Amino acid sequence: MNSESNDLIDIKLDELHHRIRHSAAHIMADAVLEIYPEAKIAIGPATQDGFYYDFDLNHTFSPEDLDKIEKIMLQRIKENLPFERKELTRDQALKMFKDQPYKIEIIENLSKDESISIYEHGNFVDLCEGPHVATTKEVKALKLLSIAGAYWRGDENNSMLQRIYGTAFENKEALDAHLLKIEEAALRDHRKLGRELELFIFDPISPASPFFLPKGTIIYNELIDYVKNLYSTFGYQEVITPLIFSTDLWKQSGHYDNYQENMYFIEVDEREFGVKPMNCPAHALMYASKLHSYRDLPLRYADFGRLHRYERSGVTHGLTRVRTFSQDDAHIFCTEDQIEQEATNFITMIQKSYEIFEFKPPRVALSLRPEKSVGDKSLWDKAEKILKTVLENNKLSYDAMAGEGAFYGPKIDFFVPDAIGREWQLGTLQLDFSLPERFNLEYINQEGNVQRPAMLHRAMFGSIERFMGVILEHYGGALPLWLSPIQATIIPIADRHIDYAEEINQQLIYANFRTNIDSRSERMNSKIRDAQLQKIPYMLIVGDKEQEEKTVAIRKRQDRSQENMNIDMLIKHLTDNLYTKILGTQQEN
RNA sequence: GCCACCGUAGCUCAGGGGUAGAGCAGCUGUUUCGUAAACAGCAGGCCAACGGUUCAAAUCCGUUCGGUGGCUCCA
């Protein structure tokens, strides 16, 4: 073993993965150039889970090409070619890459005094900072995964390149484990679960718009009830507002200028109307409907109103990106002095709201002023400064994201990792000095002077639709008892037990549980199987013995343990476990 | 919107220039059963839509509509 390899053992696994994958990207570009010498190569970095390389060539890659490319890559790896770093002057680099326009563009964008490094293996050379593994052989296990389109430099005005994604690991076991993880993720895809568990459907008649079936509606409503309970402790008042407004409103709010391409418009009575993509202007109107005293503030309006946003075809995805949805949306009108306290209260509330789902702590991002924005720069500066202070006072570490804010104000976004490590943007807190200005919102302060309130937009779950998609995948469909559409199914062993099953069912329904009886003419085994597949938390089996003893035999979805209980014990057990995690096993299908 | 791929029964999928197939689900019988699939029968499709090529199109070509994986954009 050479010294370079010894060093490799000491660096962290992440760093090792990065080197392996970055090296694999080079080897892939090498392989592609062998088959298509005319290909123009763009960039090929390592990513979180693998690597990619972007190519510009007339031939369009097919899945069979991936096999061919992979074969050549394996050959290169077998050849055990060393990766060699060299430093070039700018002129040398420009000369060396004269046939690679994308590389030329990169070189020309480097500052003049920057040194330019290249990495070489075999006959392939790439502009690259490194680092790489010592030789191609250290890429021990790799797989090319997919072909996709990608814009050069991520700009949709640029040409579309072909991207090949792959992944690579330090050994075959790690690669196989990763591929298995991808397969398991597919099993808990919320779109698949939605079909199998009869939660929701989609229909081309209303693209990207979920139809919630009865069971899905139960989950949806439970989530909303959960939020409503928090609202009552945190001092929110729920309101109901229209769906359709004259465009006069959208012009006043700024949506007409800044959000038009995402809105639906209709014409009625020779008047143009827009369907709301957000609730905020309606709440501003409500606020303005009477004269407010400082004593009214903070005023917190919550609204589960249905929103419609036109999303470009190609961006929608199951429940997590739809064209119609509702949010656990609320707007807080308050004095400037109250902003920090309100923001802090919200942070407390959002952390509380995630607790029950056992998410890992959210990642926090502060999004700053975007290019397209309304309001004075000084207002933006003030708003951004307040949010920073709030984050610091609440000891939340965060990433500042330039240009990522909403058009009306900066925002704090909460990204939550799910059970298999994917991150979702759920909660958001947005500060807005602009809308109060546009709607001329006022309150009378203690001295009797007219003042302008501040406005906070905030949501914990974000869209209920997206949130539901996330928790379905988080739980793999095995929802905790309080969210399960059917909490227990009663399984009579033979027809003569149906009457007793009915008795049990009535008592459970009376105790406010969602239960049913599987009275089909099927064997018990078959009923158990179906209940397991439906991920019903409890199966209550009743036969001669139970009927005799006035009990039920309980089978939980996550194990096969059996326990007999009478109805009172059962109700207590269910009540005690309403909010505890009852995860299902993963391999059921 | 862009690039690539896909669209056959409720679901999962096979087939592929000569007129459509399986498993599961459904329905009807029989079976009344002790912890993940009883048995038998029946029914189910303008092969996404429209146009073209052809003696003949589910199959080939084009367009549209949906969907999938990415890119850009976003709750």
Side-chain angles (χ1 to χ4, degrees), chain A residues 213-233:
Chain A
L213 298 166
K215 287 178 188 169
T217 304
I218 287 170
I219 299 170
Y220 200 99
N221 285 334
E222 284 289 347
L223 290 171
I224 287 180
D225 285 349
Y226 176 72
V227 171
K228 285 185 181 177
N229 277 329
L230 283 171
Y231 281 167
S232 64
T233 41

Side-chain angles (χ1 to χ4, degrees), chain A residues 397-423:
Chain A
S397 56
Y398 63 94
D399 303 315
M401 316 276 282
E404 297 290 318
F407 71 84
Y408 45 77
K411 56 178 183 168
I412 299 172
D413 289 321
F414 294 82
F415 293 85
V416 175
D418 70 10
I420 50 175
R422 286 171 307 180
E423 229 181 34

Side-chain angles (χ1 to χ4, degrees), chain A residues 96-135:
Chain A
M96 174 170 269
F97 292 102
K98 64 181 191 311
D99 296 327
Q100 289 293 349
Y102 296 99
K103 297 297 177 191
I104 295 289
E105 194 177 324
I106 293 168
I107 295 166
E108 282 171 347
N109 278 311
L110 292 172
S111 73
K112 292 244 192 299
D113 47 352
E114 227 169 314
S115 73
I116 295 171
S117 64
I118 57 165
Y119 271 82
E120 237 175 331
H121 73 268
N123 295 321
F124 178 81
V125 54
D126 199 355
L127 192 67
C128 178
E129 279 197 309
H132 283 275
V133 290
T135 71

Side-chain angles (χ1 to χ4, degrees), chain A residues 479-496:
Chain A
L479 298 169
L481 191 60
W482 71 283
L483 283 172
S484 291
I486 297 173
Q487 296 171 313
T489 190
I490 301 162
I491 299 177
I493 290 177
D495 285 357
R496 64 178 177 280

Side-chain angles (χ1 to χ4, degrees), chain A residues 11-21 48:
Chain A
I11 49 179
K12 289 195 314 223
L13 193 59
D14 278 358
E15 172 61 21
L16 175 63
H17 283 160
H18 191 270
R19 286 187 186 211
I20 288 174
R21 290 163 185 171
Q48 182 79 40

Side-chain angles (χ1 to χ4, degrees), chain A residues 547-577:
Chain A
Q547 195 164 336
E548 182 69 26
E549 293 175 348
K550 291 284 173 199
T551 62
V552 295
I554 295 170
R555 175 179 165 136
K556 296 177 195 162
R557 111 188 120 193
Q558 76 274 24
D559 58 44
R560 288 161 201 220
S561 67
Q562 294 171 45
E563 196 179 348
N564 276 57
M565 285 187 193
N566 67 32
I567 186 75
D568 293 335
M569 285 162 69
L570 173 62
I571 288 172
K572 183 175 186 313
H573 176 84
L574 293 177
T575 307
D576 290 348
N577 286 284

Side-chain angles (χ1 to χ4, degrees), chain A residues 209-427:
Chain A
S209 306
F211 294 57
F212 286 97
L213 298 166
K215 287 178 188 169
T217 304
I218 287 170
I219 299 170
Y220 200 99
N221 285 334
E222 284 289 347
L223 290 171
I224 287 180
D225 285 349
Y226 176 72
V227 171
K228 285 185 181 177
N229 277 329
L230 283 171
Y231 281 167
S232 64
T233 41
F234 280 82
Y236 286 75
Q237 296 171 283
E238 194 181 342
V239 298
I240 297 171
T241 53
L243 252 63
I244 297 167
F245 301 83
S246 160
T247 45
D248 293 344
L249 179 79
W250 305 115
K251 283 171 185 163
Q252 192 179 354
S253 68
H255 286 83
Y256 204 78
D257 290 333
N258 293 284
Y259 208 74
Q260 192 174 148
E261 62 274 19
N262 284 295
M263 288 179 64
Y264 290 94
F265 292 97
I266 45 174
E267 200 184 297
V268 180
D269 287 345
E270 294 172 29
R271 254 180 108 185
E272 193 186 25
F273 292 84
V275 183
K276 71 176 169 188
M278 300 180 193
N279 293 309
C280 26
H283 294 181
L285 288 182
M286 281 181 154
Y287 181 92
S289 68
K290 70 170 250 193
L291 183 61
H292 288 281
S293 150
Y294 70 95
R295 297 171 194 274
D296 297 339
L297 307 182
L299 188 62
R300 309 181 189 92
Y301 285 151
D303 196 331
F304 294 96
R306 182 145 292 275
L307 308 177
H308 290 77
R309 297 184 186 174
Y310 173 73
E311 298 289 352
R312 299 206 283 181
S313 66
V315 308
T316 61
H317 178 95
L319 290 181
T320 56
R321 189 82 184 269
V322 293
R323 288 186 175 147
T324 174
F325 58 100
S326 77
Q327 297 176 308
D328 60 331
D329 191 21
H331 294 95
I332 302 169
F333 300 90
C334 62
T335 70
E336 254 182 59
D337 294 342
Q338 291 169 333
I339 294 174
E340 277 189 42
Q341 186 58 50
E342 285 304 306
T344 298
N345 289 352
F346 174 66
I347 287 167
T348 307
M349 185 178 172
I350 196 169
Q351 285 170 337
K352 195 166 169 49
S353 79
Y354 291 165
E355 263 170 29
I356 197 172
F357 302 102
E358 296 176 85
F359 291 134
K360 297 196 185 77
R363 181 172 68 81
V364 181
L366 174 64
S367 298
L368 306 171
R369 183 179 186 170
E371 260 176 55
K372 222 175 175 184
S373 66
V374 296
D376 291 350
K377 183 162 184 311
S378 61
L379 280 178
W380 273 87
D381 291 344
K382 190 157 89 181
E384 289 175 359
K385 192 161 162 256
I386 292 173
L387 290 187
K388 274 181 198 165
T389 310
V390 167
L391 285 171
E392 279 152 23
N393 289 349
N394 283 279
K395 299 194 169 52
L396 289 175
S397 56
Y398 63 94
D399 303 315
M401 316 276 282
E404 297 290 318
F407 71 84
Y408 45 77
K411 56 178 183 168
I412 299 172
D413 289 321
F414 294 82
F415 293 85
V416 175
D418 70 10
I420 50 175
R422 286 171 307 180
E423 229 181 34
W424 300 89
Q425 189 196 324
L426 300 175

